[in-house]
Short mmCIF file of all heavy atoms in Angstrom, two decimals:
data_model
loop_
_atom_site.label_atom_id
_atom_site.label_comp_id
_atom_site.label_asym_id
_atom_site.label_seq_id
_atom_site.Cartn_x
_atom_site.Cartn_y
_atom_site.Cartn_z
N THR A 1044 -0.60 -4.92 16.99
CA THR A 1044 -0.11 -3.88 17.90
C THR A 1044 -0.29 -4.38 19.32
O THR A 1044 -1.36 -4.89 19.69
CB THR A 1044 -0.91 -2.58 17.71
OG1 THR A 1044 -0.80 -2.17 16.34
CG2 THR A 1044 -0.38 -1.47 18.60
N LYS A 1045 0.76 -4.26 20.12
CA LYS A 1045 0.70 -4.61 21.53
C LYS A 1045 1.48 -3.56 22.30
O LYS A 1045 2.64 -3.30 21.99
CB LYS A 1045 1.31 -6.00 21.77
CG LYS A 1045 1.16 -6.48 23.20
CD LYS A 1045 1.66 -7.90 23.34
CE LYS A 1045 1.47 -8.36 24.77
NZ LYS A 1045 1.95 -9.73 24.94
N ASN A 1046 0.81 -2.96 23.29
CA ASN A 1046 1.37 -1.84 24.02
C ASN A 1046 1.72 -0.75 23.01
O ASN A 1046 0.88 -0.33 22.25
CB ASN A 1046 2.54 -2.27 24.90
CG ASN A 1046 2.13 -3.30 25.93
OD1 ASN A 1046 1.04 -3.23 26.48
ND2 ASN A 1046 2.99 -4.27 26.17
N HIS A 1047 2.97 -0.32 22.94
CA HIS A 1047 3.36 0.71 21.98
C HIS A 1047 4.26 0.14 20.89
O HIS A 1047 5.10 0.84 20.33
CB HIS A 1047 4.05 1.88 22.69
CG HIS A 1047 3.11 2.65 23.56
ND1 HIS A 1047 2.13 3.45 23.05
CD2 HIS A 1047 2.99 2.69 24.91
CE1 HIS A 1047 1.44 3.98 24.04
NE2 HIS A 1047 1.94 3.54 25.19
N ASN A 1048 4.06 -1.14 20.60
CA ASN A 1048 4.85 -1.81 19.57
C ASN A 1048 3.95 -2.38 18.49
O ASN A 1048 2.96 -3.04 18.80
CB ASN A 1048 5.67 -2.96 20.18
CG ASN A 1048 6.81 -2.47 21.00
OD1 ASN A 1048 7.82 -2.04 20.45
ND2 ASN A 1048 6.67 -2.52 22.32
N ARG A 1049 4.32 -2.14 17.27
CA ARG A 1049 3.67 -2.80 16.13
C ARG A 1049 4.67 -3.81 15.59
O ARG A 1049 5.85 -3.50 15.44
CB ARG A 1049 3.34 -1.79 15.03
CG ARG A 1049 2.21 -0.88 15.37
CD ARG A 1049 1.84 -0.04 14.15
NE ARG A 1049 0.69 0.77 14.47
CZ ARG A 1049 0.63 2.08 14.30
NH1 ARG A 1049 1.64 2.73 13.79
NH2 ARG A 1049 -0.46 2.74 14.63
N THR A 1050 4.17 -4.98 15.26
CA THR A 1050 5.02 -6.03 14.71
C THR A 1050 4.45 -6.46 13.37
O THR A 1050 3.28 -6.83 13.28
CB THR A 1050 5.10 -7.23 15.66
OG1 THR A 1050 5.62 -6.78 16.92
CG2 THR A 1050 6.00 -8.32 15.10
N VAL A 1051 5.27 -6.38 12.33
CA VAL A 1051 4.88 -6.80 10.99
C VAL A 1051 5.06 -8.31 10.89
O VAL A 1051 6.14 -8.83 11.16
CB VAL A 1051 5.72 -6.08 9.91
CG1 VAL A 1051 5.31 -6.56 8.51
CG2 VAL A 1051 5.58 -4.57 10.02
N ARG A 1052 4.00 -9.01 10.51
CA ARG A 1052 4.04 -10.47 10.36
C ARG A 1052 4.03 -10.89 8.90
O ARG A 1052 4.45 -11.99 8.57
CB ARG A 1052 2.87 -11.13 11.08
CG ARG A 1052 2.80 -10.80 12.55
CD ARG A 1052 4.04 -11.19 13.33
NE ARG A 1052 4.17 -12.63 13.36
CZ ARG A 1052 5.28 -13.27 13.69
NH1 ARG A 1052 6.35 -12.59 14.03
NH2 ARG A 1052 5.33 -14.56 13.68
N MET A 1053 3.51 -10.02 8.02
CA MET A 1053 3.52 -10.32 6.58
C MET A 1053 3.27 -9.04 5.80
O MET A 1053 2.84 -8.03 6.37
CB MET A 1053 2.49 -11.38 6.21
CG MET A 1053 1.05 -10.96 6.34
SD MET A 1053 -0.16 -12.25 5.86
CE MET A 1053 0.06 -12.31 4.09
N ILE A 1054 3.59 -9.07 4.53
CA ILE A 1054 3.31 -7.93 3.65
C ILE A 1054 2.44 -8.39 2.49
O ILE A 1054 2.38 -9.58 2.17
CB ILE A 1054 4.61 -7.29 3.11
CG1 ILE A 1054 5.37 -8.26 2.21
CG2 ILE A 1054 5.46 -6.74 4.24
CD1 ILE A 1054 6.44 -7.61 1.36
N LEU A 1055 1.79 -7.42 1.89
CA LEU A 1055 1.11 -7.63 0.61
C LEU A 1055 1.72 -6.63 -0.36
O LEU A 1055 1.43 -5.44 -0.29
CB LEU A 1055 -0.39 -7.40 0.75
CG LEU A 1055 -1.16 -8.39 1.60
CD1 LEU A 1055 -2.62 -7.98 1.72
CD2 LEU A 1055 -1.06 -9.80 1.02
N ALA A 1056 2.59 -7.13 -1.23
CA ALA A 1056 3.21 -6.27 -2.24
C ALA A 1056 2.17 -5.95 -3.30
O ALA A 1056 1.37 -6.81 -3.69
CB ALA A 1056 4.42 -6.97 -2.85
N LEU A 1057 2.15 -4.71 -3.75
CA LEU A 1057 1.14 -4.25 -4.70
C LEU A 1057 1.77 -3.74 -5.99
O LEU A 1057 2.93 -3.33 -6.02
CB LEU A 1057 0.32 -3.13 -4.08
CG LEU A 1057 -0.42 -3.48 -2.79
CD1 LEU A 1057 -1.01 -2.23 -2.17
CD2 LEU A 1057 -1.49 -4.52 -3.05
N VAL A 1058 0.97 -3.72 -7.02
CA VAL A 1058 1.35 -3.10 -8.28
C VAL A 1058 0.96 -1.63 -8.19
O VAL A 1058 -0.14 -1.29 -7.73
CB VAL A 1058 0.61 -3.78 -9.46
CG1 VAL A 1058 0.86 -3.04 -10.76
CG2 VAL A 1058 1.01 -5.24 -9.56
N ASN A 1059 1.85 -0.74 -8.60
CA ASN A 1059 1.55 0.69 -8.62
C ASN A 1059 0.51 0.95 -9.70
O ASN A 1059 0.73 0.68 -10.88
CB ASN A 1059 2.83 1.48 -8.91
CG ASN A 1059 2.64 2.97 -8.78
OD1 ASN A 1059 1.53 3.49 -8.86
ND2 ASN A 1059 3.74 3.67 -8.60
N GLU A 1060 -0.64 1.47 -9.30
CA GLU A 1060 -1.76 1.61 -10.23
C GLU A 1060 -1.85 2.99 -10.91
O GLU A 1060 -2.82 3.25 -11.63
CB GLU A 1060 -3.06 1.27 -9.50
CG GLU A 1060 -3.06 -0.19 -9.06
CD GLU A 1060 -4.39 -0.67 -8.53
OE1 GLU A 1060 -5.43 -0.09 -8.86
OE2 GLU A 1060 -4.38 -1.66 -7.78
N TRP A 1061 -0.86 3.85 -10.69
CA TRP A 1061 -0.84 5.12 -11.43
C TRP A 1061 -0.54 4.84 -12.89
O TRP A 1061 0.10 3.84 -13.23
CB TRP A 1061 0.24 6.06 -10.90
CG TRP A 1061 -0.20 6.97 -9.81
CD1 TRP A 1061 0.18 6.91 -8.51
CD2 TRP A 1061 -1.10 8.08 -9.91
NE1 TRP A 1061 -0.43 7.90 -7.80
CE2 TRP A 1061 -1.22 8.64 -8.63
CE3 TRP A 1061 -1.82 8.65 -10.95
CZ2 TRP A 1061 -2.01 9.74 -8.36
CZ3 TRP A 1061 -2.62 9.75 -10.68
CH2 TRP A 1061 -2.71 10.28 -9.40
N GLU A 1062 -0.96 5.77 -13.73
CA GLU A 1062 -0.56 5.68 -15.13
C GLU A 1062 0.96 5.77 -15.19
O GLU A 1062 1.59 6.38 -14.34
CB GLU A 1062 -1.19 6.82 -15.94
CG GLU A 1062 -2.70 6.70 -16.03
CD GLU A 1062 -3.31 7.81 -16.85
OE1 GLU A 1062 -2.63 8.38 -17.72
OE2 GLU A 1062 -4.48 8.12 -16.60
N THR A 1063 1.55 5.17 -16.19
CA THR A 1063 3.00 5.01 -16.29
C THR A 1063 3.77 6.30 -16.03
O THR A 1063 4.74 6.30 -15.28
CB THR A 1063 3.37 4.44 -17.68
OG1 THR A 1063 2.65 3.23 -17.87
CG2 THR A 1063 4.85 4.18 -17.78
N LYS A 1064 3.35 7.42 -16.59
CA LYS A 1064 4.12 8.66 -16.46
C LYS A 1064 4.17 9.19 -15.02
O LYS A 1064 5.05 9.95 -14.66
CB LYS A 1064 3.57 9.74 -17.39
CG LYS A 1064 2.15 10.15 -17.08
CD LYS A 1064 1.62 11.15 -18.08
CE LYS A 1064 0.17 11.48 -17.71
NZ LYS A 1064 -0.40 12.47 -18.55
N GLU A 1065 3.24 8.76 -14.17
CA GLU A 1065 3.19 9.22 -12.77
C GLU A 1065 3.93 8.29 -11.81
O GLU A 1065 4.18 8.65 -10.68
CB GLU A 1065 1.73 9.35 -12.32
CG GLU A 1065 0.93 10.38 -13.06
CD GLU A 1065 1.36 11.80 -12.74
OE1 GLU A 1065 1.86 12.05 -11.63
OE2 GLU A 1065 1.18 12.66 -13.61
N GLN A 1066 4.28 7.09 -12.24
CA GLN A 1066 4.79 6.07 -11.33
C GLN A 1066 6.17 6.37 -10.76
O GLN A 1066 6.56 5.77 -9.76
CB GLN A 1066 4.81 4.71 -12.01
CG GLN A 1066 3.42 4.16 -12.24
CD GLN A 1066 3.45 2.78 -12.84
OE1 GLN A 1066 4.51 2.19 -13.07
NE2 GLN A 1066 2.28 2.25 -13.11
N THR A 1067 6.91 7.29 -11.34
CA THR A 1067 8.25 7.57 -10.82
C THR A 1067 8.22 8.44 -9.56
O THR A 1067 9.22 8.50 -8.85
CB THR A 1067 9.13 8.28 -11.88
OG1 THR A 1067 8.49 9.48 -12.29
CG2 THR A 1067 9.38 7.37 -13.07
N ASN A 1068 7.10 9.11 -9.30
CA ASN A 1068 7.08 9.98 -8.12
C ASN A 1068 5.85 9.83 -7.23
O ASN A 1068 5.63 10.64 -6.35
CB ASN A 1068 7.28 11.45 -8.52
CG ASN A 1068 6.18 11.96 -9.41
OD1 ASN A 1068 5.32 11.21 -9.85
ND2 ASN A 1068 6.19 13.25 -9.67
N ARG A 1069 5.04 8.81 -7.46
CA ARG A 1069 3.93 8.52 -6.54
C ARG A 1069 3.41 7.12 -6.79
O ARG A 1069 3.64 6.53 -7.84
CB ARG A 1069 2.82 9.55 -6.63
CG ARG A 1069 2.18 9.78 -7.95
CD ARG A 1069 1.10 10.86 -7.87
NE ARG A 1069 1.56 12.04 -7.18
CZ ARG A 1069 1.72 13.24 -7.71
NH1 ARG A 1069 1.43 13.43 -8.97
NH2 ARG A 1069 2.14 14.24 -7.00
N TYR A 1070 2.72 6.63 -5.79
CA TYR A 1070 2.09 5.32 -5.91
C TYR A 1070 0.59 5.47 -5.70
O TYR A 1070 0.13 6.44 -5.11
CB TYR A 1070 2.67 4.31 -4.91
CG TYR A 1070 2.34 4.62 -3.47
CD1 TYR A 1070 1.23 4.04 -2.85
CD2 TYR A 1070 3.12 5.47 -2.72
CE1 TYR A 1070 0.91 4.32 -1.53
CE2 TYR A 1070 2.81 5.76 -1.39
CZ TYR A 1070 1.70 5.19 -0.81
OH TYR A 1070 1.39 5.47 0.49
N LYS A 1071 -0.14 4.51 -6.22
CA LYS A 1071 -1.59 4.53 -6.08
C LYS A 1071 -2.04 3.13 -5.69
O LYS A 1071 -1.62 2.14 -6.29
CB LYS A 1071 -2.24 4.93 -7.40
CG LYS A 1071 -3.74 5.04 -7.36
CD LYS A 1071 -4.24 5.49 -8.74
CE LYS A 1071 -5.72 5.71 -8.77
NZ LYS A 1071 -6.17 6.12 -10.11
N ILE A 1072 -2.87 3.08 -4.65
CA ILE A 1072 -3.44 1.83 -4.20
C ILE A 1072 -4.95 1.92 -4.40
O ILE A 1072 -5.58 2.86 -3.92
CB ILE A 1072 -3.11 1.57 -2.72
CG1 ILE A 1072 -1.59 1.44 -2.53
CG2 ILE A 1072 -3.83 0.32 -2.22
CD1 ILE A 1072 -1.15 1.34 -1.09
N SER A 1073 -5.51 0.96 -5.08
CA SER A 1073 -6.95 0.99 -5.37
C SER A 1073 -7.77 0.59 -4.15
O SER A 1073 -7.28 -0.07 -3.23
CB SER A 1073 -7.28 0.06 -6.53
OG SER A 1073 -7.14 -1.29 -6.11
N ALA A 1074 -9.02 0.97 -4.16
CA ALA A 1074 -9.95 0.57 -3.11
C ALA A 1074 -10.08 -0.95 -3.07
O ALA A 1074 -10.17 -1.55 -1.99
CB ALA A 1074 -11.31 1.22 -3.33
N LYS A 1075 -10.04 -1.58 -4.22
CA LYS A 1075 -10.13 -3.04 -4.29
C LYS A 1075 -8.93 -3.69 -3.59
O LYS A 1075 -9.09 -4.66 -2.84
CB LYS A 1075 -10.20 -3.48 -5.75
CG LYS A 1075 -10.36 -4.96 -5.93
CD LYS A 1075 -10.48 -5.32 -7.40
CE LYS A 1075 -10.61 -6.83 -7.57
NZ LYS A 1075 -10.72 -7.21 -8.97
N ALA A 1076 -7.73 -3.14 -3.80
CA ALA A 1076 -6.53 -3.68 -3.14
C ALA A 1076 -6.61 -3.48 -1.63
O ALA A 1076 -6.23 -4.37 -0.85
CB ALA A 1076 -5.27 -3.00 -3.70
N TYR A 1077 -7.14 -2.34 -1.20
CA TYR A 1077 -7.32 -2.08 0.22
C TYR A 1077 -8.31 -3.07 0.83
O TYR A 1077 -8.04 -3.65 1.88
CB TYR A 1077 -7.79 -0.63 0.43
CG TYR A 1077 -8.15 -0.32 1.86
CD1 TYR A 1077 -7.15 -0.08 2.79
CD2 TYR A 1077 -9.47 -0.28 2.27
CE1 TYR A 1077 -7.48 0.19 4.12
CE2 TYR A 1077 -9.80 -0.01 3.59
CZ TYR A 1077 -8.80 0.23 4.51
OH TYR A 1077 -9.12 0.48 5.80
N MET A 1078 -9.43 -3.28 0.17
CA MET A 1078 -10.43 -4.23 0.67
C MET A 1078 -9.86 -5.65 0.73
O MET A 1078 -10.11 -6.39 1.69
CB MET A 1078 -11.69 -4.17 -0.19
CG MET A 1078 -12.46 -2.87 0.00
SD MET A 1078 -13.83 -2.61 -1.16
CE MET A 1078 -14.71 -4.13 -1.08
N ASN A 1079 -9.07 -6.01 -0.27
CA ASN A 1079 -8.43 -7.33 -0.28
C ASN A 1079 -7.47 -7.45 0.91
O ASN A 1079 -7.43 -8.50 1.57
CB ASN A 1079 -7.68 -7.55 -1.60
CG ASN A 1079 -6.99 -8.90 -1.61
OD1 ASN A 1079 -7.62 -9.94 -1.53
ND2 ASN A 1079 -5.67 -8.87 -1.70
N ALA A 1080 -6.71 -6.40 1.17
CA ALA A 1080 -5.77 -6.43 2.30
C ALA A 1080 -6.51 -6.60 3.62
O ALA A 1080 -6.07 -7.35 4.50
CB ALA A 1080 -4.93 -5.15 2.31
#
């Protein structure tokens, strides 16, 4: 972030960690994935 601009330099694509039946309408990110990021 610089001034009022954020610039994306890379992404970390994640696996949706919800149980299969929930994955069509929400995503879940684990604490471990957050710490890794």
Side-chain angles (χ1 to χ4, degrees):
T1044 303
K1045 185 175 182 180
N1046 300 322
H1047 292 289
N1048 287 284
R1049 288 188 176 127
T1050 301
V1051 178
R1052 303 302 293 164
M1053 68 179 289
I1054 64 165
L1055 293 176
L1057 301 171
V1058 173
N1059 187 338
E1060 297 189 23
W1061 270 111
E1062 294 181 26
T1063 305
K1064 63 183 179 177
E1065 297 290 332
Q1066 290 184 2
T1067 58
N1068 62 353
R1069 57 181 48 115
Y1070 68 93
K1071 182 178 184 181
I1072 298 173
S1073 70
K1075 183 178 179 181
Y1077 173 78
M1078 290 171 49
N1079 179 63

